[in-house]
Amino acid sequence: MHEPDHVLDKIRARYRNIWRDRLLLGADTAFLFALAAPSAQMIARDSDTVSRWMREWRTWSAAHPTARLRGGSRRTVVGTQEVFTHLDLPTIDDLVSLDQDLADHWLRANARWARLQKLPGGAAEERLRPHLQQIVELDDADFEILLGATTWFTENPRSGLTIRQVPVPGMHTKWLSRHRRLVLACLSIPDLGGDIDQNDEELGQDNLDPLGLKALPVHVDVILADPVDRALVGGLRHLSAPLPEIDALPVHPETVLIVENKESAYLVPDRPRTVVVHSLGNHLNVLDEISWLDGARHVYWGDLDRAGFTLLSRARARMPHLASVLMDQTTLEEYKALAVEDGTRVDTPEPNLIAFEAAALAELLTAHGTYLRLEQERLPSAFVLDQLNRAMEGHGSGQVRY
């Protein structure tokens, strides 16, 4: 015999399965839920329990007048007994009225679907269907931005603007990164772009093309460690410029040091025929576009954490002869006291780490099942400079790969 709470769980599950169809198709049919009514033998064997169950359902029914209890007869040794067999709910409105969360969800879904249908060109039901739950869960401000963005992109399909130039209040790069698939669904545009890292400051051109937008030029940060190279660009040591301008620099380095973080890169002293590229983050694709990298020795220095090794592996996938420095088990063990706990989600590295790098990565896992992070900036400067010099000279003590 099902209690009211058990049937309510069934009602919630049924709603989750059908609400999209009811919203999109508009058809409304009755719902019927079996109560697992007691048998004649059960009534004869335990009439007190059956009586209590009947009273519970009568009380519940009185508090929910839109729900209808259906009865049936059971022939027992003490005569015919009437029991409740099913719960009838004539419409989906009757169904959601039994649970406030369902009622709120259904009300919001209907209100938002009505507004989506009023967008220019209407709303493509099948393309929006997989995204309806996310749309309903948006807060009011984000939903208003979604409507504004859809309207604007419909009216301006090939604007050629950057995201920040689009005159939709509240829409910015982070918002579009999180909600780009919803905008495309509302526009009935297939999503052919790649996965988006929501921590990126800028979306790539492939992600912006379907919306008719253009990406900002990718800026690359470099340090010209050779005074001779600096003389060619007015004495500038630190440069941050769009990728084509960096590629056009009149330099021919023998060594290129790729450093994960800016503060650490600033430690690198002057050195002949050396250029430092830093602060790329996940934008490692720029390494394919800088022609003066060809023919140079490539050395990578990243944080001693899981993200650092993932970035190293991705850079090495583009530069097969990429060496690493200060990313070894010896450095980690010597300065482990400076490490902190690392709870961030990190992608698995490419399968190209070499033995000492893989050993250092494994060492990051503690006995408690947590991970460590030893950031570049925490290492003593004198130690860092010694190791960098040895690495760039090509005889780092087993820490460099060529």
Side-chain angles (χ1 to χ4, degrees), residues 21-270:
D21 288 335
R22 297 298 173 92
L23 184 70
L24 298 177
L25 302 178
D28 202 2
T29 57
F31 299 89
L32 181 65
F33 295 90
L35 304 184
S39 63
Q41 292 78 6
M42 175 66 181
I43 295 172
R45 184 174 64 250
D46 194 351
S47 61
D48 289 343
T49 297
V50 174
S51 296
R52 179 199 57 77
W53 181 79
M54 292 286 289
R55 288 194 302 272
E56 185 175 1
W57 272 110
R58 288 191 187 96
T59 301
W60 184 92
S61 179
H64 302 87
T66 60
R68 303 172 186 174
L69 289 172
R70 182 184 300 186
S73 299
R74 297 288 187 270
R75 292 183 179 180
T76 72
V77 294
V78 294
T80 301
Q81 302 290 321
E82 294 294 323
V83 295
F84 301 131
T85 61
H86 295 83
L87 179 66
D88 285 314
L89 297 166
T91 69
I92 191 170
D93 289 330
D94 296 324
L95 182 143
V96 300
S97 70
L98 303 181
D99 182 281
Q100 189 60 51
D101 288 340
L102 298 187
D104 292 342
H105 184 277
W106 182 238
L107 180 64
R108 189 163 59 252
N110 276 276
R112 293 191 171 180
W113 179 241
R115 296 190 65 188
L116 288 170
Q117 289 180 299
K118 294 179 181 178
L119 288 170
E125 297 176 359
E126 289 309 309
R127 196 172 294 282
L128 275 175
R129 181 187 176 88
H131 307 282
L132 283 175
Q133 182 61 40
Q134 188 178 353
I135 290 174
V136 173
E137 290 175 349
L138 290 175
D139 63 34
D140 290 341
D142 284 335
F143 182 66
E144 294 300 328
I145 297 171
L146 176 63
L147 295 178
T150 303
T151 299
W152 192 88
F153 285 120
T154 300
E155 297 171 351
N156 303 273
R158 292 289 178 265
S159 69
L161 301 180
T162 65
I163 295 175
R164 291 175 177 82
Q165 292 174 320
V166 175
V168 174
M171 196 188 81
H172 48 77
T173 301
K174 290 291 187 182
W175 188 94
L176 191 58
S177 177
R178 291 192 298 267
H179 302 97
R180 176 178 165 279
R181 284 190 170 93
L182 298 185
V183 175
L184 291 176
C186 289
L187 293 168
S188 297
I189 296 175
D191 181 13
L192 302 179
D195 291 336
I196 297 174
D197 183 345
Q198 295 183 4
N199 293 317
D200 282 351
E201 293 184 0
E202 300 295 339
L203 293 173
Q205 190 60 56
D206 58 337
N207 298 127
L208 296 175
D209 279 340
L211 298 171
L213 300 179
K214 67 178 181 182
L216 289 173
V218 175
H219 279 62
V220 181
D221 295 285
V222 300
I223 296 173
L224 302 181
D226 189 338
V228 176
D229 287 340
R230 294 204 294 272
L232 301 175
V233 292
L236 294 175
R237 190 172 198 269
H238 302 272
L239 299 175
S240 180
L243 176 58
E245 297 180 22
I246 294 297
D247 177 49
L249 286 173
V251 297
H252 303 282
E254 291 180 349
T255 301
V256 174
L257 175 63
I258 303 168
V259 183
E260 184 175 341
N261 302 321
K262 178 181 294 187
E263 185 175 339
S264 300
Y266 284 3
L267 284 174
V268 180
D270 280 358

Side-chain angles (χ1 to χ4, degrees), residues 286-317:
V286 304
L287 299 174
D288 300 331
E289 307 295 331
I290 302 176
S291 58
W292 45 259
L293 292 175
D294 295 341
R297 176 191 298 118
H298 305 139
V299 181
Y300 188 94
W301 176 30
D303 288 328
L304 268 166
D305 63 5
R306 291 174 298 153
F309 284 106
T310 294
L311 293 175
L312 167 62
S313 73
R314 290 175 178 174
R316 184 172 287 149

